[in-house]
Amino acid sequence: AAGVIQSPRHLIKEKRETATLKCYPIPRHDTVYWYQQGPGQDPQFLISFYEKMQSDKGSIPDRFSAQQFSDYHSELNMSSLELGDSALYFCASSQRDRPTYGYTFGSGTRLTVV
Amino acid sequence: AQTVTQSQPEMSVQEAETVTLSCTYDTSESDYYLFWYKQPPSRQMILVIRQEAYKQQNATENRFSVNFQKAAKSFSLKISDSQLGDAAMYFCAYRSAGSYGKLTFGQGTILTVHP
């Protein structure tokens, strides 16, 4: 079965640089979520999209932005990177009319800011 | 806002034994969903089991089962016949039934399985 695809798997950036993370949800999933997981921490919700519109916003810094495109893939753009942005970034997708099925997570993008 | 608490930072179990991971949550909602996710060293988030709050029957998936106590807002995970492959970080998560349902996670419990 198709899974949630995230790219790249690993990314190393310098402070003040910009990073773009991509997410390709499972076909027919209409909702995409982004989470940030710092070392030894639980995942923190950043932002979500339903049918290409932002549906909810969590603790996402103003330096970050995201969007969902017509093909339902989503991109998380991170500017003016800081050392504290180093984390594992998960994308997940789901079908809104099947909430009991939970999410399907991608394998994550490990961002290291040096 | 909903909160999820896992009071056991670490747990250990002998292979083939049974272990129970605890989770409590706080919410004012009556309809919601609860999940247990497993995160092995690969860091992949894997859904283990789910429970709808409106269902009184506890969910079961093979060796995994939950004890859902809605009034007490408790949602524990029991792993029977533990296997070495069960070693991982386990997260309890809450999802509101309404709106677009972001997940709120607990702090996680690291499970070690001893051979």
Side-chain angles (χ1 to χ4, degrees), chain B residues 13-99:
Chain B
V13 64
Q14 290 293 134
E15 198 174 6
E17 297 293 306
T18 296
V19 64
T20 298
L21 308 184
S22 301
C23 172
T24 58
Y25 57 94
D26 187 26
T27 183
S28 58
E29 300 174 332
S30 59
D31 197 13
Y32 48 87
Y33 307 96
L34 296 165
F35 305 89
W36 278 98
Y37 280 89
K38 168 185 177 181
Q39 188 176 41
S42 66
R43 305 299 299 275
Q44 176 74 48
M45 293 289 282
I46 302 166
L47 178 63
V48 174
I49 198 165
R50 53 179 162 248
Q51 174 80 43
E52 295 99 314
Y54 59 85
K55 289 188 176 180
Q56 293 185 341
Q57 185 175 5
N58 289 322
T60 299
E61 289 285 344
N62 300 314
R63 299 183 295 107
F64 300 88
S65 61
V66 298
N67 183 6
F68 173 49
Q69 302 290 328
K70 191 172 183 179
K73 295 179 182 176
S74 171
F75 182 61
S76 61
L77 173 69
K78 185 171 81 170
I79 305 174
S80 304
D81 186 25
S82 296
Q83 301 176 0
L84 295 178
D86 294 333
M89 173 77 88
Y90 285 81
F91 289 102
C92 177
Y94 173 103
R95 176 180 181 174
S96 172
S99 190

Side-chain angles (χ1 to χ4, degrees), chain A residues 40, chain B residues 6-13 19-22 88-90 107-114:
Chain B
Q6 293 178 246
S7 59
Q8 306 156 316
E10 298 182 25
M11 290 286 285
S12 63
V13 64
V19 64
T20 298
L21 308 184
S22 301
M89 173 77 88
Y90 285 81
Q107 303 90 330
T109 297
I110 299 173
L111 177 66
T112 302
V113 181
H114 298 289

Side-chain angles (χ1 to χ4, degrees), chain A residues 33 35 37 42-43 45 50 55-56 88 90 96 99-103 105-107 110, chain B residues 33 35 37 39 43-45 47 50 52 54 91 95 99-103 105-107:
Chain A
Y33 307 81
Y35 287 82
Q37 186 179 24
D42 55 290
F45 171 71
Y50 169 67
S55 54
D56 198 359
L88 187 60
F90 283 110
R96 188 186 175 194
T100 60
Y101 286 19
Y103 294 9
F105 282 86
S107 299
R110 183 176 297 282
Chain B
Y33 307 96
F35 305 89
Y37 280 89
Q39 188 176 41
R43 305 299 299 275
Q44 176 74 48
M45 293 289 282
L47 178 63
R50 53 179 162 248
E52 295 99 314
Y54 59 85
F91 289 102
R95 176 180 181 174
S99 190
Y100 300 96
K102 68 186 180 198
L103 286 175
F105 289 88
Q107 303 90 330

